[in-house]
CSV table of all heavy atoms in Angstrom, one decimal:
chain,number,residue,atom,x,y,z
A,73,LEU,N,15.5,2.1,2.7
A,73,LEU,CA,16.7,1.3,2.3
A,73,LEU,C,17.7,2.1,1.5
A,73,LEU,O,18.8,1.7,1.3
A,73,LEU,CB,16.3,0.0,1.5
A,73,LEU,CG,15.4,-0.9,2.3
A,73,LEU,CD1,14.9,-2.1,1.4
A,73,LEU,CD2,16.1,-1.5,3.5
A,74,LEU,N,17.2,3.2,0.9
A,74,LEU,CA,18.1,4.1,0.1
A,74,LEU,C,18.5,5.3,0.8
A,74,LEU,O,19.2,6.2,0.3
A,74,LEU,CB,17.4,4.5,-1.2
A,74,LEU,CG,17.0,3.3,-2.1
A,74,LEU,CD1,16.1,3.9,-3.3
A,74,LEU,CD2,18.2,2.6,-2.7
A,75,GLU,N,18.1,5.4,2.1
A,75,GLU,CA,18.5,6.6,2.9
A,75,GLU,C,20.0,6.7,3.1
A,75,GLU,O,20.7,5.7,3.2
A,75,GLU,CB,17.7,6.6,4.2
A,75,GLU,CG,16.2,7.0,4.1
A,75,GLU,CD,15.5,7.0,5.4
A,75,GLU,OE1,16.1,6.5,6.4
A,75,GLU,OE2,14.4,7.4,5.4
A,76,SER,N,20.5,7.9,3.3
A,76,SER,CA,21.9,8.2,3.7
A,76,SER,C,22.9,7.7,2.7
A,76,SER,O,24.0,7.5,3.0
A,76,SER,CB,22.2,7.5,5.1
A,76,SER,OG,21.2,7.9,6.1
A,77,ASP,N,22.4,7.6,1.5
A,77,ASP,CA,23.3,7.2,0.4
A,77,ASP,C,23.3,8.3,-0.7
A,77,ASP,O,22.4,8.4,-1.5
A,77,ASP,CB,22.9,5.8,-0.2
A,77,ASP,CG,23.9,5.2,-1.1
A,77,ASP,OD1,24.8,5.9,-1.5
A,77,ASP,OD2,23.9,4.0,-1.3
A,78,LEU,N,24.4,9.1,-0.7
A,78,LEU,CA,24.5,10.2,-1.7
A,78,LEU,C,24.8,9.7,-3.1
A,78,LEU,O,24.8,10.5,-4.0
A,78,LEU,CB,25.6,11.2,-1.3
A,78,LEU,CG,25.3,12.0,0.0
A,78,LEU,CD1,26.4,12.9,0.3
A,78,LEU,CD2,24.0,12.8,-0.2
A,79,ARG,N,24.9,8.4,-3.3
A,79,ARG,CA,25.1,7.8,-4.6
A,79,ARG,C,23.8,7.6,-5.3
A,79,ARG,O,23.8,7.2,-6.5
A,79,ARG,CB,25.8,6.5,-4.5
A,79,ARG,CG,27.2,6.5,-3.9
A,79,ARG,CD,27.8,5.1,-3.7
A,79,ARG,NE,26.9,4.3,-2.8
A,79,ARG,CZ,27.0,3.0,-2.6
A,79,ARG,NH1,27.9,2.3,-3.3
A,79,ARG,NH2,26.2,2.4,-1.8
A,80,VAL,N,22.7,7.8,-4.6
A,80,VAL,CA,21.3,7.5,-5.1
A,80,VAL,C,20.4,8.7,-5.0
A,80,VAL,O,20.3,9.3,-3.9
A,80,VAL,CB,20.7,6.3,-4.4
A,80,VAL,CG1,19.3,6.0,-5.0
A,80,VAL,CG2,21.6,5.1,-4.6
A,81,GLU,N,19.8,9.1,-6.1
A,81,GLU,CA,18.8,10.2,-6.0
A,81,GLU,C,17.4,9.6,-6.4
A,81,GLU,O,17.3,8.8,-7.4
A,81,GLU,CB,19.1,11.2,-7.1
A,81,GLU,CG,18.1,12.4,-7.1
A,81,GLU,CD,18.4,13.3,-8.3
A,81,GLU,OE1,19.4,13.1,-9.0
A,81,GLU,OE2,17.6,14.3,-8.4
A,82,VAL,N,16.4,9.9,-5.6
A,82,VAL,CA,15.0,9.4,-5.8
A,82,VAL,C,14.1,10.5,-6.2
A,82,VAL,O,14.0,11.5,-5.6
A,82,VAL,CB,14.5,8.7,-4.5
A,82,VAL,CG1,13.1,8.2,-4.6
A,82,VAL,CG2,15.5,7.6,-4.0
A,83,VAL,N,13.3,10.2,-7.3
A,83,VAL,CA,12.2,11.1,-7.7
A,83,VAL,C,11.0,10.2,-7.9
A,83,VAL,O,11.0,9.0,-8.0
A,83,VAL,CB,12.5,11.9,-9.0
A,83,VAL,CG1,13.8,12.8,-8.8
A,83,VAL,CG2,12.8,10.9,-10.1
A,84,PHE,N,9.8,10.9,-7.9
A,84,PHE,CA,8.5,10.2,-7.9
A,84,PHE,C,7.8,10.7,-9.2
A,84,PHE,O,8.0,11.8,-9.7
A,84,PHE,CB,7.7,10.5,-6.7
A,84,PHE,CG,8.4,10.1,-5.4
A,84,PHE,CD1,9.4,10.8,-4.8
A,84,PHE,CD2,7.9,9.0,-4.7
A,84,PHE,CE1,10.0,10.4,-3.6
A,84,PHE,CE2,8.5,8.6,-3.5
A,84,PHE,CZ,9.6,9.3,-3.0
A,85,THR,N,6.8,9.8,-9.6
A,85,THR,CA,5.9,10.2,-10.6
A,85,THR,C,4.6,9.5,-10.4
A,85,THR,O,4.5,8.5,-9.7
A,85,THR,CB,6.5,9.8,-12.0
A,85,THR,OG1,5.7,10.4,-13.0
A,85,THR,CG2,6.5,8.3,-12.2
A,86,VAL,N,3.5,10.1,-11.0
A,86,VAL,CA,2.2,9.6,-10.8
A,86,VAL,C,1.6,9.3,-12.2
A,86,VAL,O,1.2,10.2,-12.9
A,86,VAL,CB,1.3,10.6,-10.1
A,86,VAL,CG1,-0.1,10.1,-9.9
A,86,VAL,CG2,1.9,11.0,-8.7
A,87,PRO,N,1.5,8.0,-12.5
A,87,PRO,CA,0.9,7.7,-13.8
A,87,PRO,C,-0.6,7.8,-13.8
A,87,PRO,O,-1.2,7.8,-12.7
A,87,PRO,CB,1.4,6.2,-14.0
A,87,PRO,CG,1.6,5.7,-12.7
A,87,PRO,CD,2.0,6.8,-11.8
A,88,PRO,N,-1.2,7.9,-14.9
A,88,PRO,CA,-2.7,8.0,-14.9
A,88,PRO,C,-3.3,6.8,-14.3
A,88,PRO,O,-3.0,5.6,-14.5
A,88,PRO,CB,-3.1,8.0,-16.4
A,88,PRO,CG,-1.8,8.6,-17.1
A,88,PRO,CD,-0.7,8.0,-16.3
A,89,HIS,N,-4.3,7.0,-13.4
A,89,HIS,CA,-5.0,6.0,-12.6
A,89,HIS,C,-6.3,6.6,-12.1
A,89,HIS,O,-6.3,7.8,-11.8
A,89,HIS,CB,-4.1,5.4,-11.5
A,89,HIS,CG,-4.6,4.1,-10.9
A,89,HIS,ND1,-5.6,4.1,-10.0
A,89,HIS,CD2,-4.2,2.8,-11.1
A,89,HIS,CE1,-5.9,2.8,-9.7
A,89,HIS,NE2,-5.0,2.0,-10.3
A,90,ALA,N,-7.3,5.7,-11.9
A,90,ALA,CA,-8.6,6.2,-11.4
A,90,ALA,C,-8.5,6.8,-10.0
A,90,ALA,O,-9.3,7.6,-9.6
A,90,ALA,CB,-9.6,5.1,-11.4
A,91,PHE,N,-7.5,6.4,-9.2
A,91,PHE,CA,-7.3,6.8,-7.9
A,91,PHE,C,-6.1,7.7,-7.6
A,91,PHE,O,-5.5,7.7,-6.6
A,91,PHE,CB,-7.3,5.6,-6.9
A,91,PHE,CG,-8.5,4.8,-7.1
A,91,PHE,CD1,-8.4,3.4,-7.4
A,91,PHE,CD2,-9.8,5.3,-6.9
A,91,PHE,CE1,-9.5,2.6,-7.5
A,91,PHE,CE2,-10.9,4.5,-7.1
A,91,PHE,CZ,-10.8,3.1,-7.4
Side-chain angles (χ1 to χ4, degrees):
L73 298 173
L74 299 173
E75 286 180 350
S76 304
D77 193 340
L78 292 178
R79 300 173 299 168
V80 179
E81 177 188 2
V82 178
V83 298
F84 299 76
T85 191
V86 180
H89 194 281
F91 303 123

